């Protein structure tokens, strides 16, 4: 084989591996749908097609071991396709494990896994099923160790008969193959097996030219491709789409995720450069041409930013499928009757966040099955897009969490000062203790058993994404975990303000209004409470410096930001409002983030550093300070 042929084969293999990832996602989806519907025939047929495609294509690109295992799986699916009533939960579990094995093999071939697979046990289990259904199983021990491909010599006569629809179809396929690969297949080859036909093609190609031909594509694969084209054409005729949609579908291309990330970083730098240019434009206000050009540039950059961000966004469907699979496996293992309900799987989120969310979400769901629900119940997984946030809810109707026991355990572990009473904390603040490292390892608590193990990792992961976890629970009624996350971790729209000569960025969606400090009437309270009247209500007030722990002294600021955090309103005093900006978020030291209510940093238009405010922490600080003042006054 020449260098060009080697490159062509490698290109085919990479395309196959990318396609295999998509096929295996469908594989899991079809199986999970299988257990939710009474009409199993359609789903089994879909699963069979996936296995058949994996077998044929992997064999065509030289992955014989994968093709061999796919052939064994296909044999079992062939039986189930004829009689779906043979399906049992045990068979479904085995076939799902086969899908996992295929994923491991694909990851290994893509260089993402360091260890190859071993499917001996799975092949043995499938052989046992084949024998139990009255079919001869494959001998998994007959072949030498280096050639244990588990592949029979060729398809059975029954399989061949089913795959042949008409002689005319075969003739057309052979004509296409002859033209594409420069061989001469005739009618006498029609009823040969796939392996035999592949050998004939290879022999004819090697005899014809000195230069070896491109890798042989098996006849069955080409024929199947033709059938798919016919089906697609028929579907298009029965349900026509508009020309624009068809054109858009045809224009779809696959792009490496790393390239999109690089483009996103460049767009971020472009946003910074635009902000710096804005300062220069301000100095030439009389130049209307320059001003118009800058306005056009600003609009173009905004659109580029939105489109680039859109390329990074993916639906949460695949993540939800993994969650459904995890709930199914744990419920079967623990012999619990769990109804899994999901909604919002089409909500889109930054692809980098999906990867970070997978393990925490699966851990929380397994905890709900294992420790939340006793014998039967319902688990709800919901995703919703609220403003610039994504809210993921994991809710069960199990035993719930005992707040008193959690508080006592936290007190026992020294997480709470002995002077603090349970009434001083909200339920959410109490439940946050179960997410502290090692909270439930010293002594088991019946109503919280296991919920603390690993939840500290969940909290840490979510906070790294500038999100937070809220917990609510009622004894005997269930528990709800809410993961509140930003839509993306790259760029944020915010309000640029100054306080004590430092620059800060508040998320735009959290700021309701900006008031002048001299127009606000503060309430003079003998107990020293910092409050003022806003739209017929009295809300807490604190300076930004005070909430960040920089200056505890009370003062009336020049300007006041009216904040809305989860329905709670409060005022934050600042020295100056600068502008509404788009900033590229940069990571910040973990100590600074957790101790001061600052979530990230950014580079401003003048080249200086700005700090992005964690409004949830600021809100908590304001309310806590006023609550403490109320408690001391009482």
């Amino acid at each position: 084989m020449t260098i060009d042929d080697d490159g062509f084969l490698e290109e085919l293999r990479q395309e196959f591996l990318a396609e295999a990832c998509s096929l295996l996602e469908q594989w899991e989806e079809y199986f999970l749908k299988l257990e939710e519907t009474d009409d199993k025939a359609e789903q089994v047929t879909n699963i069979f097609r996936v296995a058949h495609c994996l077998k044929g294509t992997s064999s065509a690109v030289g992955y014989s071991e994968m093709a061999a295992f796919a052939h064994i799986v296909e044999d079992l699916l062939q039986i189930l396709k004829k009689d779906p009533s043979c399906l049992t939960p045990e068979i479904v579990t085995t076939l799902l494990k086969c899908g996992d094995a295929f994923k491991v093999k694909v990851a290994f071939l893509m260089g993402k896994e360091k260890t190859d697979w071993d499917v001996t046990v799975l092949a043995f289990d499938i052989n046992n099923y084949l024998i139990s259904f009255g079919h001869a199983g494959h001998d998994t021990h007959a072949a030498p160790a280096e050639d244990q491909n588990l592949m029979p010599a060729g398809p059975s006569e029954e399989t061949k008969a089913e795959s042949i629809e008409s002689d005319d179809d075969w003739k057309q396929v052979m004509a296409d193959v002859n033209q594409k690969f420069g061989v001469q297949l005739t009618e006498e080859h029609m009823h040969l097996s796939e392996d035999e036909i592949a050998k004939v093609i290879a022999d004819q190609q090697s005899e014809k030219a000195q230069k070896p031909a491109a890798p042989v594509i098996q006849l069955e694969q080409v024929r199947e491709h033709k059938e798919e084209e016919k089906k697609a054409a028929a579907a298009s005729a029965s349900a026509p789409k508009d020309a624009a949609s068809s054109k858009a579908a045809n224009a779809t291309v696959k792009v490496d995720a790393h390239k999109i990330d690089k483009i996103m970083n460049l767009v971020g730098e472009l946003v910074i450069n635009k902000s710096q240019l804005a300062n220069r434009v301000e100095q030439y206000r009389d130049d209307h041409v320059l001003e118009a050009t800058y306005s056009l540039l600003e609009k173009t950059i905004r659109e580029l930013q939105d489109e680039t961000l859109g390329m990074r966004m993916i639906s949460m469907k695949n993540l939800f499928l993994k969650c459904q699979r995890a709930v199914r496996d744990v419920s079967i293992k623990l012999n619990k009757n769990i109804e899994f309900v999901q909604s919002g799987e089409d909500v889109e989120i930054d692809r980098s966040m999906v990867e970070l969310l997978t393990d925490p979400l699966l851990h929380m769901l397994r905890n709900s099955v294992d420790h939340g629900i006793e014998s039967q119940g319902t688990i709800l997984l919901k995703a919703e897009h609220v403003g610039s946030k994504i809210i993921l809810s994991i809710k069960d109707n199990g035993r719930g969490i005992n707040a008193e026991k959690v508080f006592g355990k936290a007190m026992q572990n020294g997480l709470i000062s002995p002077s603090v009473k349970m009434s001083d904390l909200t339920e959410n603040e109490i439940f946050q203790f179960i997410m502290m490292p090692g909270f439930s390892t010293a002594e088991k608590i019946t109503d919280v058993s296991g919920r603390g193990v690993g939840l500290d990792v969940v909290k840490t992961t979510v906070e790294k994404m500038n999100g937070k976890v809220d917990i609510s629970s009622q004894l005997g009624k269930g528990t709800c975990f809410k993961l509140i996350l930003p839509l993306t971790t790259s760029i944020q729209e915010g309000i640029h303000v100054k306080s004590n000569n430092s620059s800060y960025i508040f998320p735009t969606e959290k700021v309701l209004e900006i008031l002048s400090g001299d127009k606000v009437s503060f309430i003079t309270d003998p107990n020293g409470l910092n409050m003022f009247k806003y739209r017929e209500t009295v809300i807490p007030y604190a300076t930004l410096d005070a909430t960040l722990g920089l200056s505890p002294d009370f003062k009336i600021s020049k300007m006041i930001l009216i904040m809305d955090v989860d329905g709670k309103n409060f005022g934050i005093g600042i020295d100056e409002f600068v502008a509404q900006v788009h900033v590229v978020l940069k990571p910040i030291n973990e100590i600074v983030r957790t101790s001061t209510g600052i979530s990230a940093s950014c580079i401003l238009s003048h080249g200086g550093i700005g700090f992005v405010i964690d409004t949830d922490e600021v809100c908590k600080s304001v309310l806590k300070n006023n609550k403490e003042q109320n408690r001391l006054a009482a």
Side-chain angles (χ1 to χ4, degrees), residues 95-359:
L95 289 172
L96 280 170
K97 289 180 179 178
C98 290
D100 295 339
F102 282 126
K103 289 179 182 179
V104 170
K105 183 65 173 179
V106 170
F108 174 77
L109 294 172
M110 295 176 76
K112 296 180 179 179
E113 291 285 342
K114 294 182 179 180
T115 56
D116 203 353
W117 64 343
D118 181 2
V119 291
T120 305
V121 175
L122 286 173
F124 182 80
D125 290 341
I126 293 174
N127 270 296
N128 285 341
Y129 288 130
L130 290 173
I131 293 171
S132 69
F133 291 138
H135 290 250
H138 302 291
D139 187 357
T140 60
H141 303 287
E146 67 273 16
D147 193 29
Q148 282 190 345
N149 287 336
L150 314 177
M151 176 75 88
S156 65
E157 293 301 322
E158 180 182 21
T159 304
K160 278 201 263 183
E162 285 195 358
S163 65
I164 299 173
E165 294 183 1
S166 72
D167 288 349
D168 290 338
D169 288 341
W170 276 97
K171 289 176 183 178
Q172 181 60 50
V173 171
M174 284 192 297
D176 292 339
V177 172
N178 288 339
Q179 181 180 2
K180 184 175 181 65
F181 298 106
V183 295
Q184 294 295 324
L185 295 181
T186 63
E187 292 185 14
E188 67 182 24
H189 298 121
M190 283 173 45
H191 298 292
L192 294 178
S193 70
E194 292 176 11
D195 292 339
E196 291 167 337
I197 291 174
K199 187 177 184 303
V200 170
I201 294 175
D203 290 342
Q204 290 187 11
Q205 285 181 323
S206 63
E207 292 173 2
K208 181 179 177 182
Q210 293 180 354
K211 180 182 176 180
V216 176
I217 305 298
Q218 294 190 20
L219 183 61
E220 176 63 18
Q221 183 185 352
V222 180
R223 186 184 69 80
E224 185 178 42
H225 180 65
K226 281 286 184 183
E227 291 174 351
E228 293 298 326
E229 286 184 340
K230 290 179 182 178
K231 290 178 182 178
S236 178
S238 60
K241 298 178 182 179
D242 59 75
S245 298
S246 299
K247 186 175 180 181
N250 293 333
T252 300
V253 294
K254 294 181 180 179
V255 181
D256 191 294
H258 295 296
K259 291 184 178 179
I260 296 178
D261 292 340
K262 186 174 181 179
I263 292 173
M264 193 66 186
N265 290 334
L266 291 173
V267 170
E269 297 302 322
L270 196 58
V271 170
I272 295 172
N273 294 337
K274 181 208 70 175
S275 299
Q276 293 172 340
L277 183 61
N279 288 340
R280 303 293 297 175
V281 172
E282 282 292 317
Q283 299 175 17
Y284 300 93
R285 292 184 179 180
D286 295 336
D287 191 335
H288 300 298
V289 175
L290 177 61
E291 187 175 354
T293 303
Y294 173 77
S295 297
L296 181 60
L297 176 65
E298 184 179 35
K299 178 177 179 293
T300 303
I301 292 176
R302 174 67 68 88
E303 290 179 358
L304 178 62
Q305 177 183 320
D306 292 341
E307 291 299 324
T308 307
L309 180 59
M311 288 193 293
R312 285 172 57 105
M313 306 296 282
I314 59 174
S315 76
M316 305 186 74
K317 181 178 180 180
N318 292 334
L319 178 57
F320 273 41
L321 283 174
K322 291 179 182 178
C323 293
Q324 187 177 355
R325 168 76 184 278
V327 171
R328 176 198 179 273
D329 290 348
V330 177
S331 61
I332 289 177
K333 182 178 180 180
L334 299 177
N335 195 27
K336 294 184 179 182
N337 183 16
I338 306 293
E339 179 185 3
F340 182 73
V341 181
Q342 59 187 33
S343 65
E345 62 179 15
D346 293 329
V347 171
E348 293 188 333
I349 194 171
D350 195 313
R351 69 169 64 244
S352 62
M353 295 175 66
V354 170
E355 296 172 0
L356 291 172
L357 274 174
T358 300
D359 288 341

Side-chain angles (χ1 to χ4, degrees), residues 520-550:
V520 173
S521 299
F522 287 89
I523 297 175
T524 53
D525 192 300
N527 297 320
L529 301 180
N530 302 327
M531 313 285 285
F532 69 94
K533 192 172 183 180
Y534 171 72
R535 297 185 185 277
E536 307 304 323
T537 61
V538 176
I539 63 175
Y541 166 81
T543 63
L544 180 57
D545 288 344
T547 60
L548 298 179
L550 302 176

Side-chain angles (χ1 to χ4, degrees), residues 294-453:
Y294 173 77
S295 297
L296 181 60
L297 176 65
E298 184 179 35
K299 178 177 179 293
T300 303
I301 292 176
R302 174 67 68 88
E303 290 179 358
L304 178 62
Q305 177 183 320
D306 292 341
E307 291 299 324
T308 307
L309 180 59
M311 288 193 293
R312 285 172 57 105
M313 306 296 282
I314 59 174
S315 76
M316 305 186 74
K317 181 178 180 180
N318 292 334
L319 178 57
F320 273 41
L321 283 174
K322 291 179 182 178
C323 293
Q324 187 177 355
R325 168 76 184 278
V327 171
R328 176 198 179 273
D329 290 348
V330 177
S331 61
I332 289 177
K333 182 178 180 180
L334 299 177
N335 195 27
K336 294 184 179 182
N337 183 16
I338 306 293
E339 179 185 3
F340 182 73
V341 181
Q342 59 187 33
S343 65
E345 62 179 15
D346 293 329
V347 171
E348 293 188 333
I349 194 171
D350 195 313
R351 69 169 64 244
S352 62
M353 295 175 66
V354 170
E355 296 172 0
L356 291 172
L357 274 174
T358 300
D359 288 341
L361 204 56
L362 293 177
H363 181 80
M364 297 173 76
L365 285 165
R366 291 190 185 104
N367 267 354
S368 291
V369 177
D370 193 6
H371 306 290
I373 295 176
E374 296 186 24
S375 59
Q376 63 178 11
T378 301
I379 294 177
L380 169 67
L381 174 61
K382 181 180 180 181
E384 52 186 333
H385 186 180
V386 180
S388 63
K389 298 287 185 182
I390 295 294
I391 300 179
L392 277 172
S393 303
I394 303 100
K395 185 177 182 180
D396 65 60
N397 60 352
R399 67 187 73 177
I401 303 175
N402 190 320
E404 291 184 3
K405 288 187 177 181
V406 173
F407 181 82
K409 183 75 174 184
M411 185 76 73
Q412 178 184 337
N413 288 357
L415 300 175
I416 305 176
S417 170
S419 62
V420 176
K421 298 179 181 177
M422 186 172 172
S423 58
D424 295 334
L425 303 175
T426 65
E427 278 201 340
N428 179 55
E429 289 174 333
I430 293 172
F431 293 144
Q432 290 295 322
F433 288 115
I434 69 175
M435 306 191 83
M436 298 292 287
F439 176 79
S440 64
T441 55
E443 180 184 347
K444 295 255 183 179
I445 301 176
T446 303
D447 295 315
V448 192
S449 177
R451 281 194 183 272
V453 180

Side-chain angles (χ1 to χ4, degrees), residues 12-23 106 110 254:
L12 283 179
R13 285 179 169 176
Q14 293 305 317
E15 289 183 5
F16 161 68
L17 294 174
E19 181 187 13
C21 292
S22 177
L23 287 171
V106 170
M110 295 176 76
K254 294 181 180 179

